Amino acid sequence: MSNLVGHEQQRAALSELAASERLPSSLLFAGVEGIGKRLVAQELAAQLLCAELPCGPKGGCGKCKPCILLRAGNHPDLLQLSFGEDGASVEDLRAALDRLSLKAFMGGRKVAILDNADQISAIGANTLLKSLEEPRPETFYVLVAANSSRLPQTVLSRCQRWFFDRLPPDAVRAILTSQGQAASSEAAAILADGSLRGLEGIRERADALSDVRAVVDAAFLGDDRIIGRAAQEWGANKDSLKDTITFLRTSIRQKLLDHAQDTEASAVWATALQNAIDAEYLALERHVNPTLVLLEVLQSCNRSLSQAYQELPGSSPTLAERLRLA
């Protein structure tokens, strides 16, 4: 049985489709990296390949021979490829598709999990398309992609798309606790921003969280001296600018969640969050003065602006508009 954390709604729906034998032959799991899409695909594969009929429980029964082989990574009817740099080649893909065209080794279903499918080459996508257009009976393809827009429309049109959102902080905490890292789970869950990708690097800079949160608190109180100094220091450190903006965005998002029942505070944090989201684009892609961008974000956290934000919901100027870059 499965012990995954998160994405309960999608997993329950997929399990129901599999159990009722209504699961499409080609699926696309889309969402940012590090949120468990591949693990959900493996959970679904375990259910499809389980010896229980017509289909095993979610995650498989864990006791039959197919489930035991799957857990050991030796199931002959589950093929997993990962594309991208140093990943699977077109030849690897062709070999996998040829194998899928054969009768199942264990007499049941066959499943292919194609991770980082958005990084497949044009030749590889055309090769895959032929199999998606004429899927063999009891053969399932699960494409996993962080940026599904990179896939050709011909491939997208033949897959049923499933979107997976970022993990909520409590799910990240549960995962970290299950890994024996409960002590650092609170800070890491916030800094992870809903994704476990690169969490080790985040932990190394976890001390920055308290600094950013302290500045955000000062911004809410309207302390211009503190936020001015912070904007200058953060903006001048180009090496950590991306991380700083991420920490700022996640800290503001947490404030919004913590004050969901406070109308005035929610208006402030909602506006500030949108500005923090804009800040990454402006400072990192448009190369706008990062100190100016960060200062604008922090100034928008001021609680004295709550009335103005409430009077013009959705109409207050965005950060991009104030900097005349919309």
Side-chain angles (χ1 to χ4, degrees):
M1 300 295 287
S2 175
N3 58 358
L4 285 183
V5 175
H7 310 305
E8 285 81 5
Q9 183 176 356
Q10 295 94 327
R11 291 164 54 209
L14 287 164
S15 178
E16 174 61 28
L17 288 173
S20 61
E21 300 186 273
R22 294 183 291 114
L23 188 72
S25 61
S26 301
L27 303 167
L28 171 62
F29 289 180
V32 298
E33 295 184 57
I35 57 174
K37 303 184 299 299
R38 178 177 53 82
L39 296 178
V40 175
Q42 291 172 340
E43 178 184 69
L44 178 61
Q47 181 177 5
L48 292 169
L49 297 173
C50 180
E52 289 193 16
L53 296 175
C55 191
K58 183 168 65 175
C61 69
K63 301 176 181 179
C64 66
K65 183 177 180 180
C67 284
I68 294 173
L69 288 173
L70 196 68
R71 185 175 299 172
N74 295 322
H75 198 297
D77 295 319
L78 172 62
L79 300 178
Q80 301 188 74
L81 295 179
S82 181
F83 299 92
E85 187 175 356
D86 299 325
S89 64
V90 174
E91 289 71 26
D92 294 329
L93 177 60
R94 288 196 179 107
L97 296 177
D98 287 344
R99 186 171 168 183
L100 288 170
S101 68
L102 303 175
K103 183 178 179 180
F105 285 87
M106 302 196 72
R109 302 181 178 95
K110 295 165 290 182
V111 180
I113 298 176
L114 308 180
D115 198 12
N116 297 320
D118 49 337
Q119 299 184 43
I120 193 171
S121 67
I123 296 176
N126 287 331
T127 301
L128 175 62
L129 182 60
K130 297 176 182 178
S131 296
L132 299 182
E133 287 176 332
E134 299 177 1
R136 297 182 64 83
E138 299 297 291
T139 301
F140 297 87
Y141 300 87
V142 184
L143 282 64
V144 180
N147 190 349
S148 59
S149 62
R150 292 179 178 174
L151 284 165
Q153 186 59 39
T154 49
V155 171
L156 292 174
S157 65
R158 285 162 177 79
C159 298
Q160 184 181 86
R161 290 182 239 187
W162 291 70
F163 179 73
F164 292 79
D165 204 350
R166 294 177 183 272
L167 294 166
D170 60 341
V172 177
R173 282 192 291 270
I175 294 171
L176 294 174
T177 300
S178 70
Q179 297 174 349
Q181 302 174 40
S184 62
S185 64
E186 182 66 30
I190 296 174
L191 293 175
D193 196 21
S195 169
L196 298 182
R197 179 176 173 80
L199 193 56
E200 289 300 327
I202 288 175
R203 289 196 197 98
E204 293 174 0
R205 295 202 61 232
D207 57 332
L209 174 63
S210 59
D211 294 337
V212 171
R213 294 177 75 175
V215 172
V216 169
D217 287 338
F220 188 66
L221 298 175
D223 193 324
D224 291 332
R225 181 181 60 84
I226 290 180
I227 67 175
R229 184 171 66 238
Q232 286 186 334
E233 292 177 355
W234 295 346
N237 193 339
K238 300 299 190 295
D239 292 337
S240 62
L241 180 59
K242 182 177 176 62
D243 284 345
T244 298
I245 293 176
T246 297
F247 297 165
L248 180 60
R249 185 181 71 248
T250 53
S251 296
I252 292 174
R253 177 181 291 154
Q254 190 61 43
K255 289 289 186 182
L256 178 59
L257 294 174
D258 292 342
H259 296 86
Q261 305 305 316
D262 185 333
T263 303
E264 292 188 357
S266 292
V268 173
W269 297 123
T271 300
L273 178 57
Q274 182 58 58
N275 287 340
I277 292 171
D278 290 343
E280 187 165 358
Y281 164 70
L282 293 170
L284 300 178
E285 296 187 32
R286 293 296 296 270
H287 305 293
V288 179
N289 186 322
T291 296
L292 175 60
V293 171
L294 291 166
L295 184 60
E296 288 279 349
V297 174
L298 292 172
Q299 287 177 337
S300 70
C301 295
N302 195 323
R303 63 183 175 186
S304 67
L305 299 173
S306 62
Q307 192 63 38
Y309 292 153
Q310 291 180 84
E311 290 175 354
L312 296 172
S315 300
S316 54
T318 66
L319 179 58
E321 289 170 339
R322 287 203 303 276
L323 296 178
R324 298 181 181 179
L325 289 169

